[in-house]
Amino acid sequence: MTKLLLAMLAVISAAMPSHASAQAAGAPGAQAEQFTPEFQRVHTARDPKHTPRIEAPDSVRRGEWFKVTVTVGAESMHPSLQEHFVRYIALYKDSVEISRVYLHPVYSAPTVTFTIALDEGGALRALAEPTHSAAWEAMRKISVVP
Amino acid sequence: MTKLLLAMLAVISAAMPSHASAQAAGAPGAQAEQFTPEFQRVHTARDPKHTPRIEAPDSVRRGEWFKVTVTVGAESMHPSLQEHFVRYIALYKDSVEISRVYLHPVYSAPTVTFTIALDEGGALRALAEPTHSAAWEAMRKISVVP
Amino acid sequence: MTKLLLAMLAVISAAMPSHASAQAAGAPGAQAEQFTPEFQRVHTARDPKHTPRIEAPDSVRRGEWFKVTVTVGAESMHPSLQEHFVRYIALYKDSVEISRVYLHPVYSAPTVTFTIALDEGGALRALAEPTHSAAWEAMRKISVVP
Amino acid sequence: MTKLLLAMLAVISAAMPSHASAQAAGAPGAQAEQFTPEFQRVHTARDPKHTPRIEAPDSVRRGEWFKVTVTVGAESMHPSLQEHFVRYIALYKDSVEISRVYLHPVYSAPTVTFTIALDEGGALRALAEPTHSAAWEAMRKISVVP
């Protein structure tokens, strides 16, 4: 069904005049048909397939390297399909981005282990952005001792 | 302690039935159904919708900033659809990556203007990777004068 | 001077025992010496060299492609040096990331032009992260008409 | 209107004296002083601190998820310093990029574990790009059985 739609789109777009430069898809505003409310804001409600799971120690020493594994989603692995996959997983400490991994549609599974060190305690945050919506966010407290 | 928790998680997740629509972690080898030959190697043959178009001067002064615009594809803009879009555009000078932009499925059009400076002449190369295949590559000679 | 320090660091780190695997830099916690308050949170105060400048229309039609140029900083171009450069520039619409470009230390200037389309009005936000601090953020209102 | 504003900005910025410490936009060609031969091509010669180490099985089943850990460098962990760090680690299967992680100057250690699945045997390649040179590359054969 999806493939049929894509095939139809391909035929339609091949038939449409294209003056390139900045007009990716025919009539001005035509891209609006691609928007859905799912894309409008980061999702913080818990969803078993999309909310990232953060595995990390509860407490670490300041400046000590430790591992953080982030997996999408919290209860079952999000699929890796050409038409539906996790684009990237990013790890933050409060507002500060620490590491970000971009994934392949079919060769990557949405789980990654980073090695990081922290300056002060707070919230580890993971953002995972699938292709069909804005990012999903999870949080996990961590304390840092001297 | 963390290792113990991780080991427990591994046991639990191995024991859980998984029937995600794509079975990211279903039967061993199930992901193989997602592979297609399109993903196997970088495409260098010219394709009007996927080969990137590189706009740049023919010649620049060494160390002088200049603009390079890369657009996918060479003749008509590649669509930006939730299930079919350009993941990233990367600009190389021969083997060296200079800049890379990651794009949004529906809010980004696959065209970007970078500002760069070069050390020596050679080939500007652009790689653009859509969601349904390996990257498409284009090349454009540039000379650098002192 | 900086080169001297780096050379000294190289000598010191060569002299230090390394058991690799997870211990990047000798004694547990040794990485703490690299932390500075500059890295602790995103900067929103205006700084002429680090705050990004966002050039975009004040109003666009829903679903219409338009250009956004982000330059670091607002008043003079941030340098591109091996030891001090802008790592990436990311463009958001409110909480949603639209495009992100990673830059080269010496071959890239920190200015980029994206082409985007919007669903609804709000704030375009640009984040630019240099090597010596957390990201700097700028905002610019945009309205979207049907 | 936007074009007029942009034109005015261009005139103003051309008229403004620029004396940033690095003169990103100073005398034409000034950026040339930042170039070194280290940046000119990808390094494949073995270097204990920069060549990535790839840990992966020798053989996997087609479509089976498995872990790949890439660490920089092969014999001792590369430092994570504000002025000298590993910008990203990318994992390829022959010419095809599978996953790429961008790292923080001081909060990230240059080691990451990806989970991937393969279609056919060949060479796993890891590229790691530090701030002071072009990327360093390593390779490791892997076979894929049905």
Side-chain angles (χ1 to χ4, degrees), chain A residues 2 9 18 24 31 34-35 39 55 75 77-82 87 102-107 129 131-132, chain B residues 6 9 16 22 24 31 34-35 39 76-77 80-83 87 102-107 129 131-132:
Chain A
T2 308
L9 266 169
S18 155
Q31 184 66 9
Q34 308 307 325
F35 300 148
F39 283 117
E55 296 167 69
E75 287 168 31
M77 189 86 86
H78 189 283
S80 295
L81 310 173
Q82 181 184 135
R87 299 169 52 211
Y102 288 92
L103 302 173
H104 190 275
V106 303
Y107 293 136
E129 185 161 335
T131 49
H132 55 86
Chain B
L6 285 177
L9 265 168
M16 276 187 347
Q31 184 67 7
Q34 308 307 326
F35 299 149
F39 283 117
S76 65
M77 190 82 89
S80 294
L81 310 173
Q82 182 185 134
E83 297 180 356
R87 297 169 54 212
Y102 288 92
L103 302 173
H104 191 276
V106 303
Y107 293 137
E129 185 161 334
T131 49
H132 54 85

Side-chain angles (χ1 to χ4, degrees), chain C residues 35-73:
Chain C
F35 300 149
T36 73
E38 301 298 310
F39 283 117
Q40 291 182 337
R41 46 199 54 86
V42 169
H43 304 277
T44 51
R46 184 178 172 80
D47 177 83
K49 200 168 79 176
H50 291 102
T51 302
R53 179 173 73 234
I54 304 173
E55 296 167 68
D58 292 323
S59 177
V60 294
R61 284 187 54 191
R62 186 169 183 271
E64 176 187 29
W65 295 116
F66 64 97
K67 290 188 185 303
V68 178
T69 296
V70 183
T71 303
V72 183

Side-chain angles (χ1 to χ4, degrees), chain A residues 1-144:
Chain A
M1 179 61 184
T2 308
K3 284 203 176 125
L4 178 60
L5 282 174
L6 283 178
M8 285 169 60
L9 266 169
V11 170
I12 291 166
S13 78
M16 275 183 352
S18 155
H19 332 260
S21 143
Q23 201 149 317
Q31 184 66 9
E33 290 157 30
Q34 308 307 325
F35 300 148
T36 73
E38 300 298 311
F39 283 117
Q40 289 182 339
R41 46 198 56 85
V42 169
H43 304 276
T44 51
R46 183 177 173 83
D47 177 84
K49 199 166 78 177
H50 291 100
T51 301
R53 180 174 73 236
I54 305 172
E55 296 167 69
D58 292 324
S59 176
V60 293
R61 283 186 55 192
R62 185 168 185 271
E64 176 187 28
W65 294 116
F66 64 98
K67 291 189 185 300
V68 179
T69 296
V70 183
T71 304
V72 183
E75 287 168 31
S76 65
M77 189 86 86
H78 189 283
S80 295
L81 310 173
Q82 181 184 135
E83 297 174 1
H84 179 205
F85 63 97
V86 177
R87 299 169 52 211
Y88 64 83
I89 296 171
L91 178 66
Y92 293 75
K93 158 63 177 55
D94 294 312
S95 67
V96 174
E97 188 171 315
I98 296 186
S99 298
R100 171 180 290 220
V101 63
Y102 288 92
L103 302 173
H104 190 275
V106 303
Y107 293 136
S108 294
T111 179
V112 64
T113 301
F114 304 110
T115 296
I116 69 170
L118 292 181
D119 193 9
E120 46 172 20
L124 287 177
R125 292 165 54 223
L127 261 79
E129 185 161 335
T131 49
H132 55 86
S133 83
W136 292 79
E137 181 176 349
M139 234 184 234
R140 185 191 161 92
K141 293 274 177 202
I142 189 163
S143 65
V144 172

Side-chain angles (χ1 to χ4, degrees), chain C residues 2 31 55 79-80 87 103, chain D residues 6 22 31 80 83 87 103 106:
Chain C
T2 307
Q31 184 65 8
E55 296 167 68
S80 294
R87 298 169 53 211
L103 303 173
Chain D
L6 285 178
Q31 184 66 7
S80 295
E83 298 178 356
R87 297 169 54 210
L103 302 173
V106 304

Side-chain angles (χ1 to χ4, degrees), chain C residues 2 6 9-10 13 18 20-25 31 34-36 39-40 49 53 55-58 69 75-85 87 102-108 110 129-134 140, chain D residues 2 5-6 9 13 16-25 31 34-36 39-40 49 53 71 75-85 87 102-111 129-134:
Chain C
T2 307
L6 283 176
L9 267 167
S13 76
S18 155
S21 145
Q23 202 150 316
Q31 184 65 8
Q34 308 308 326
F35 300 149
T36 73
F39 283 117
Q40 291 182 337
K49 200 168 79 176
R53 179 173 73 234
E55 296 167 68
D58 292 323
T69 296
E75 286 167 32
S76 65
M77 189 83 88
H78 188 283
S80 294
L81 310 173
Q82 181 184 136
E83 297 173 2
H84 179 205
F85 63 97
R87 298 169 53 211
Y102 288 92
L103 303 173
H104 191 276
V106 303
Y107 293 137
S108 294
E129 185 160 333
T131 49
H132 55 84
S133 83
R140 185 193 161 95
Chain D
T2 307
L5 281 174
L6 285 178
L9 265 168
S13 77
M16 274 186 349
S18 154
H19 29 231
S21 74
Q23 271 158 295
Q31 184 66 7
Q34 308 306 326
F35 299 149
T36 73
F39 283 117
Q40 289 182 338
K49 200 166 78 177
R53 180 175 72 236
T71 304
E75 286 167 32
S76 65
M77 190 83 89
H78 189 283
S80 295
L81 310 172
Q82 181 184 133
E83 298 178 356
H84 179 205
F85 63 98
R87 297 169 54 210
Y102 287 93
L103 302 173
H104 190 276
V106 304
Y107 293 136
S108 295
T111 179
E129 186 161 333
T131 49
H132 55 85
S133 83

